[in-house]
């Protein structure tokens, strides 16, 4: 291995690296940052080349495969003179290959040690480029786990991906909170179209990149080429459209691009964190256009979906892990799918690095900070209030002796949820419902279990209440 030049990291470089770290923390969140990115060290900046290091090969491989491109892009934004970055192992030592690294090699995607910068963070767009080069190979329909919270969005995405000449909805607008699967579905659509209709020109990019490319076109007085490029595609996918809210010139150009593609019967797929009507800072005509086709929302995940996602991940990675550990994670990490997957990766990384089996105790220790952040205890009072509002009864009815069905059934639902969502004993639950004994609570739980099997409406009401309480 060639010898390295002496370290050359000045104050300006350190400040720049500090800003890069801050942006990574903001984008990926504290849990992911602490697990994978916190230990990256800036070693030297040699002209236009940045050298960074990590303490182990496992971490180096994981960061290169999952975060290196974004690190490179942020470096470019902070310092346009940078042309490439290199991530190496600070203290090289032989380590067993990790499951993610093995999987990457099996797929023919061994990590490259160097990430080249092209055009200082704003890549040139060629409408003839093959779609597959722009998409994440991890995100396909085959590994997207479907549940009640995302089944509409998934079905709509499938319909769009399988359509050939007829456009089913234009645009297809997907919205939901952070880490619920919007980007996964958009990449899945892209992969499917590349297989079903390889002749189609398809472009996926974030609204942020759309804006950067538009600004670049203005700067170099090349707006006609910009318009031709974007309006010549057959399918345009724009992620996180809320980014251009309040940016009038970009909205104006996006509006005209949108209209031109619709007039040509070309497909548009857009994602956002809110419904079109709730996008603040977006012009009324743009909000109207976004709501033209099908608007599909993705709700927060329920326990069953979270467990299914974890099971799918360990199956893909061919990893053996106790079911009770996956059940524990699904119960405790309720914020979003991205954080849930990050928690699983963190547990597996710890096991690989220290050479110990994954146990419930080690999982609790490794995820102590994350579990504390997610540990919002649901109270019986909160359940009673939410159920009373949903069924339009008074809070006092939860404690009263009234036996009318309009009151008794919601009370039983509240008891059922108290048993499902809290650690309270049956006598404790009974006392919270007007001093009832534990047999009354047992009867309520059994009754609701029986009714759910034949009453679809009641079952949906309970699932909705659980999602609202858990999130």
């Amino acid at each position: 291995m060639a010898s390295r030049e002496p370290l050359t990291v000045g104050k300006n470089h350190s400040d720049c690296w500090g800003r890069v770290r801050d942006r990574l923390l903001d984008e990926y969140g504290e849990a992911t940052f602490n697990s994978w990115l916190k230990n990256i060290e800036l070693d030297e900046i040699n002209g236009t080349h940045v050298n960074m290091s990590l303490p182990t090969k496992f971490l180096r491989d994981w960061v290169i495969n999952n975060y290196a491109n974004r690190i490179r892009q942020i470096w470019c934004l902070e310092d346009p003179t940078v042309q490439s970055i290199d991530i190496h192992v600070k203290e090289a030592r032989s380590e067993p290959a990790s499951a993610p690294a093995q999987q990457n090699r099996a797929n023919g995607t061994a990590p490259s040690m160097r990430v080249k910068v092209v055009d200082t963070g704003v890549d040139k767009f060629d409408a003839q480029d093959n779609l597959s080069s722009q998409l994440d190979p991890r995100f396909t329909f085959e590994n997207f786990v479907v549940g009640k919270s995302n089944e509409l969005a998934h079905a709509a995405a499938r319909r769009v991906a399988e359509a050939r000449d007829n456009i089913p909805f234009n645009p297809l607008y997907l919205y939901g909170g952070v880490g619920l699967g919007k980007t996964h579905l958009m990449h899945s659509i892209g992969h499917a179209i590349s297989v079903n209709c390889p002749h189609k020109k398809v472009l996926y990019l974030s609204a942020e990149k759309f804006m950067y490319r538009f600004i670049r076109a203005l700067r170099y007085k090349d707006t006609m080429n910009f318009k031709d490029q974007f309006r010549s595609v057959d399918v345009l996918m724009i992620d996180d459209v809320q980014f251009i809210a309040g940016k009038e010139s970009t909205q104006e150009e996006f509006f005209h691009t949108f209209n031109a593609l619709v007039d040509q019967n070309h497909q548009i797929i857009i994602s956002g964190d809110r419904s079109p009507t709730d996008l603040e800072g977006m012009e009324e005509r743009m909000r109207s256009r976004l709501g033209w086709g099908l608007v599909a929302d993705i709700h927060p995940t329920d326990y069953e979906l979270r467990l299914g996602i974890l099971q799918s991940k360990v199956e893909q990675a061919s990893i053996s892990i106790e079911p009770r550990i996956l059940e524990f994670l699904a119960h405790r990490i309720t914020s979003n799918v991205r954080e849930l997957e990050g928690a699983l990766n963190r547990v597996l990384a710890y096991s690989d690095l220290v050479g110990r089996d994954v146990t419930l105790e080690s999982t609790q220790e490794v995820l102590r900070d994350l579990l504390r952040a997610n540990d919002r205890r649901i109270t019986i009072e909160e359940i009673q209030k939410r159920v009373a509002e949903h069924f339009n009864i008074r809070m006092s009815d939860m404690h009263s002796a009234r036996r009318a069905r309009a009151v008794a059934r919601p009370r039983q639902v509240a008891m059922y949820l108290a048993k499902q969502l809290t650690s309270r004993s049956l006598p404790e639950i009974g006392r919270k419902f007007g001093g009832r004994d534990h047999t009354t609570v047992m009867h309520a739980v059994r009754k609701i279990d029986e009714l759910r099997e034949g009453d679809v409406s009641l079952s949906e009401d309970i699932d909705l209440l659980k999602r609202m309480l858990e999130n």
Side-chain angles (χ1 to χ4, degrees):
M1 184 174 181
S3 61
R4 294 184 178 276
E5 296 181 9
L7 300 185
T8 55
V9 181
K11 184 178 185 302
N12 290 342
H13 296 147
S14 297
D15 291 344
C16 185
W17 174 228
R19 291 192 297 272
V20 171
R21 285 172 60 88
D22 289 342
R23 289 192 62 164
L24 291 169
L25 177 61
D26 289 341
E27 286 191 21
Y28 291 108
E30 185 174 355
T32 298
F33 181 85
N34 288 339
S35 297
W36 306 110
L37 306 173
K38 183 178 179 179
N39 292 321
I40 299 176
E41 293 183 7
L42 174 61
D43 288 348
E44 64 177 342
I45 298 182
N46 183 7
T48 61
H49 178 68
V50 177
N51 278 318
M52 296 180 291
S53 63
L54 279 161
T56 69
K57 180 179 182 296
F58 172 81
L59 283 174
R60 189 276 312 272
D61 290 351
W62 189 264
V63 168
I64 285 177
N65 277 291
N66 294 279
Y67 305 107
N69 284 333
R70 186 55 185 154
I71 294 172
R72 176 261 292 177
Q73 291 168 357
I74 294 175
W75 262 113
C76 290
L77 294 173
E78 294 295 338
D79 183 358
T81 64
V82 168
Q83 293 183 3
S84 62
I85 67 172
D86 181 34
I87 303 175
H88 62 276
V89 180
K90 194 170 189 66
E91 296 177 3
R93 62 175 179 264
S94 177
E95 290 187 29
S98 64
Q102 288 174 339
Q103 189 175 13
N104 286 331
R105 281 195 290 274
N107 293 335
T109 57
S112 170
M113 295 304 102
R114 178 159 295 186
V115 182
K116 287 290 185 183
V117 174
V118 181
D119 209 19
T120 62
V122 186
D123 301 332
K124 290 183 179 179
F125 165 60
D126 179 353
Q128 304 296 330
D129 284 348
N130 189 288
L131 169 68
S132 60
S133 64
Q134 304 169 30
L135 298 174
D136 192 322
R138 298 172 301 168
F139 296 152
T140 65
F141 283 124
E142 287 68 32
N143 59 29
F144 185 86
V145 182
V146 183
K148 287 186 177 180
S149 63
N150 59 25
E151 60 184 354
L152 172 61
H154 173 263
R158 280 277 195 184
R159 180 70 62 83
V160 167
E162 292 166 0
R164 295 187 179 271
D165 297 322
N166 298 324
I167 303 297
F169 331 104
N170 214 11
L172 170 61
Y173 185 94
L174 307 172
Y175 79 92
V178 174
L180 296 183
K182 304 184 299 295
T183 299
H184 190 142
L185 282 177
M186 295 182 80
H187 283 253
S188 300
I189 293 171
H191 285 304
I193 291 175
S194 69
V195 173
N196 297 334
C197 304
H199 62 281
K200 285 191 175 183
K201 303 173 187 175
V202 191
L203 174 65
Y204 164 88
L205 76 168
S206 66
E208 181 181 15
K209 278 194 173 181
F210 180 89
M211 185 189 75
Y212 287 155
R213 290 180 178 182
F214 177 55
I215 292 172
R216 184 176 178 80
L218 292 175
R219 178 182 175 187
Y220 291 102
K221 299 180 181 179
D222 194 24
T223 54
M224 288 307 298
N225 186 45
F226 174 90
K227 293 177 188 291
D228 289 343
Q229 288 173 339
F230 274 89
R231 298 178 192 189
S232 66
V233 298
D234 297 295
V235 181
L236 175 63
M237 297 188 286
I238 301 290
D239 208 354
D240 290 325
V241 73
Q242 72 275 359
F243 183 85
I244 64 173
K247 300 172 176 66
E248 295 180 4
S249 297
T250 304
Q251 279 189 50
E252 179 78 17
E253 181 56 38
F254 182 60
F255 177 81
H256 293 306
T257 299
F258 184 103
N259 287 340
L261 290 173
V262 170
D263 289 345
Q264 298 172 59
N265 198 35
H266 291 178
Q267 179 73 61
I268 301 174
I269 304 155
I270 299 168
S271 81
D273 63 352
R274 284 155 286 176
S275 71
T277 55
D278 294 331
L279 286 171
E280 297 179 3
M282 196 74 76
E283 294 179 8
E284 178 58 36
R285 62 177 182 171
M286 195 67 251
R287 290 203 299 266
S288 175
R289 293 293 193 281
L290 294 176
W292 261 3
L294 176 65
V295 177
D297 61 332
I298 303 177
H299 300 292
T301 57
D302 55 22
Y303 167 75
E304 289 78 10
L305 180 56
R306 291 194 295 274
L307 182 58
I309 290 169
L310 291 173
Q311 291 170 339
S312 174
K313 291 296 176 184
V314 297
E315 286 172 9
Q316 290 171 34
S318 299
I319 297 169
S320 177
I321 187 169
E322 287 186 57
R324 67 176 185 143
I325 295 174
L326 300 183
E327 292 166 3
F328 173 78
L329 292 175
H331 267 301
R332 297 294 300 275
I333 311 297
T334 61
S335 50
N336 60 64
V337 175
R338 194 173 298 158
E339 194 165 85
L340 181 67
E341 293 178 349
L344 177 62
N345 291 335
R346 192 165 158 188
V347 169
L348 296 176
Y350 173 82
S351 174
D352 182 84
L353 291 170
V354 303
R356 297 178 188 167
D357 292 336
V358 178
T359 64
L360 186 58
E361 291 72 23
S362 69
T363 297
Q364 291 172 317
E365 179 63 26
V366 172
L367 301 178
R368 185 170 46 195
D369 60 329
L370 189 58
L371 294 173
R372 188 165 54 245
N374 279 271
D375 192 16
R376 188 186 71 80
R377 296 186 180 276
I378 300 172
T379 65
I380 293 177
E381 290 79 7
E382 187 178 0
I383 292 171
Q384 291 173 333
K385 180 180 178 182
R386 184 71 72 176
V387 172
E389 290 173 351
H390 183 80
F391 288 101
N392 196 28
I393 64 173
R394 295 188 300 269
M395 183 69 172
S396 59
D397 289 328
M398 291 290 169
H399 312 96
S400 72
R402 292 181 61 195
R403 296 187 177 182
R405 183 172 178 177
V407 172
R409 186 70 76 235
R411 189 191 297 133
Q412 289 177 326
V413 168
M415 291 181 186
Y416 173 85
L417 290 172
K419 178 66 171 63
Q420 295 283 320
L421 302 178
T422 75
S423 58
R424 298 288 188 176
S425 66
L426 294 179
E428 287 177 310
I429 294 172
R431 285 194 291 273
K432 292 289 187 178
F433 285 84
R436 289 171 166 82
D437 62 30
H438 71 282
T439 58
T440 303
V441 180
M442 289 174 59
H443 172 73
V445 172
R446 283 198 301 265
K447 184 66 176 178
I448 296 302
D449 267 330
E450 292 170 4
L451 291 172
R452 289 193 69 175
E453 293 182 5
D455 190 335
V456 176
S457 178
L458 176 64
S459 184
E460 290 177 348
D461 282 339
I462 292 172
D463 287 340
L464 174 61
L465 286 164
K466 284 177 69 175
R467 287 199 299 269
M468 293 166 69
L469 288 161
E470 289 177 336
N471 295 282

